[in-house]
Amino acid sequence: MAGMAKAVLATDEAATYLGVAPSTLRTWRHRRTGPPSFRIGAKVVYRLTALDAYLAECEVADSRSNPALDPRVAPIRPRRDRSGRRVEAAA
């Protein structure tokens, strides 16, 4: 069994893996955000594959990693007033 990777990580281990505080993971779990977790008995655990998927989702959602979201190259959308009508740019 020596050298085998773990399939699930406890909260403290998962927090270290993600680079966040354990309290952050507990808050995310309470708010039902962040990576999915489940219980084995009384212990909250995270699948390693779920943590990797969560990291990949974060990377795709970040404009620094995803050129399609870069605000410097995104097309400029027309301005709209509170009612949703287009507002002409002032000359």
Side-chain angles (χ1 to χ4, degrees), residues 18-75:
L18 294 175
V20 298
S23 60
T24 300
L25 271 184
R26 285 190 286 275
T27 300
W28 289 348
R29 189 170 62 249
H30 174 73
R31 294 179 180 169
R32 299 187 186 276
T33 62
S37 63
F38 61 98
R39 290 186 180 274
I40 296 179
K43 188 175 187 177
V44 175
V45 295
Y46 295 82
R47 285 195 183 275
L48 189 56
T49 54
L51 296 177
D52 288 335
Y54 177 74
L55 289 172
E57 288 173 22
C58 290
E59 186 176 12
V60 169
D62 190 290
S63 65
R64 291 166 288 207
S65 305
N66 186 345
L69 300 176
D70 189 343
R72 297 173 296 169
V73 296

